[in-house]
Amino acid sequence: MKNILIAASILSANFAYLGKEIEDVLKAGADLIHFDVMDNYYVPNLTIGPLVLKSLRNYGIKCIIDVHLMTKKVDDLIIKFAKAGANIITLHPENSYHLDRSISLIRKYGCKAGIVLNPSTPLCCFDYIINKLDIITIMSVNPGFEKQIFLNFIYDKIIKIKKIIKKKKILLEIDGGINIDNIKKVAIAGADILVIGSAIFKSSFSYEQTLQTMKLKLNNISKN
């Protein structure tokens, strides 16, 4: 049976009550927390840094935190986020001057390492580092903002990458535009982790009702 995880993206959470929001969404059934880091250079948005992550750890958040670096400079942030309590750190390959070194740096500081592919990023970008990766994230929207629509051509990209990593211990994460209506199709294509933000935090139903509905769809997949 396939175990598919849901990573709640706090980009869509209420930042005035961030600690409680994370506690509530984890209690409702989210498996891990996705931490979107944007610098207003690589993407046209500005979000949060390592001090926020550290404060959440101090608050008592103990779950796995997946840090997604959407920043022009990554190596300094890798160290700072690792020290702040990140468990997974992913980066866009075009933002590292030396990708192999950046991936090695993530692992050196005790975190799982991964790369993130934008919708138009070719698969050849990980040809020579694939054996150092723990996770590959496919963006199913262009990064920067919440509430975007899932790009349909990404389904083929998921299938292609899943075939490449099938015999390797690499998790495949899909990020962007996932909701109640398409979660099953995305999972069937080959996802191991689904990053979901507004479909959880901006749902008209409670977190528990929303996540239970999503998990029911995923459980049905795993039994097929």
Side-chain angles (χ1 to χ4, degrees), residues 85-104:
N87 303 105
I88 303 167
I89 299 177
T90 60
L91 57 92
H92 292 256
E94 60 269 26
N95 290 335
S96 172
Y97 290 113
H98 302 284
L99 185 56
D100 180 76
R101 185 168 65 192
S102 296
I103 294 297
S104 296

Side-chain angles (χ1 to χ4, degrees), residues 188-217:
I188 288 173
D192 299 301
I193 303 173
L194 302 169
V195 178
I196 306 176
S198 57
I200 296 174
F201 288 104
K202 302 295 173 61
S203 172
S204 57
F205 300 98
S206 70
Y207 296 163
E208 185 174 6
Q209 289 174 306
T210 301
L211 282 159
Q212 281 183 350
T213 301
M214 290 177 173
K215 295 243 175 179
L216 181 60
K217 289 177 178 285

Side-chain angles (χ1 to χ4, degrees), residues 166-184:
K166 187 175 182 180
K167 295 183 180 180
K168 299 180 182 293
K169 294 181 179 180
I170 299 175
L171 295 174
L172 186 56
E173 180 179 68
I174 314 303
D175 183 357
I178 301 172
N179 54 45
I180 292 288
D181 296 326
N182 63 16
I183 189 172
K184 183 173 182 178

Side-chain angles (χ1 to χ4, degrees), residues 1-5 31 171 191-193 215 222:
M1 294 177 66
K2 186 176 180 181
N3 184 27
I4 303 168
L5 304 178
D31 299 293
L171 295 174
D192 299 301
I193 303 173
K215 295 243 175 179
S222 66

Side-chain angles (χ1 to χ4, degrees), residues 152-161:
N152 281 324
F153 69 84
I154 297 298
Y155 290 112
D156 288 338
K157 194 169 188 177
I158 296 170
I159 293 168
K160 287 178 182 177
I161 294 181

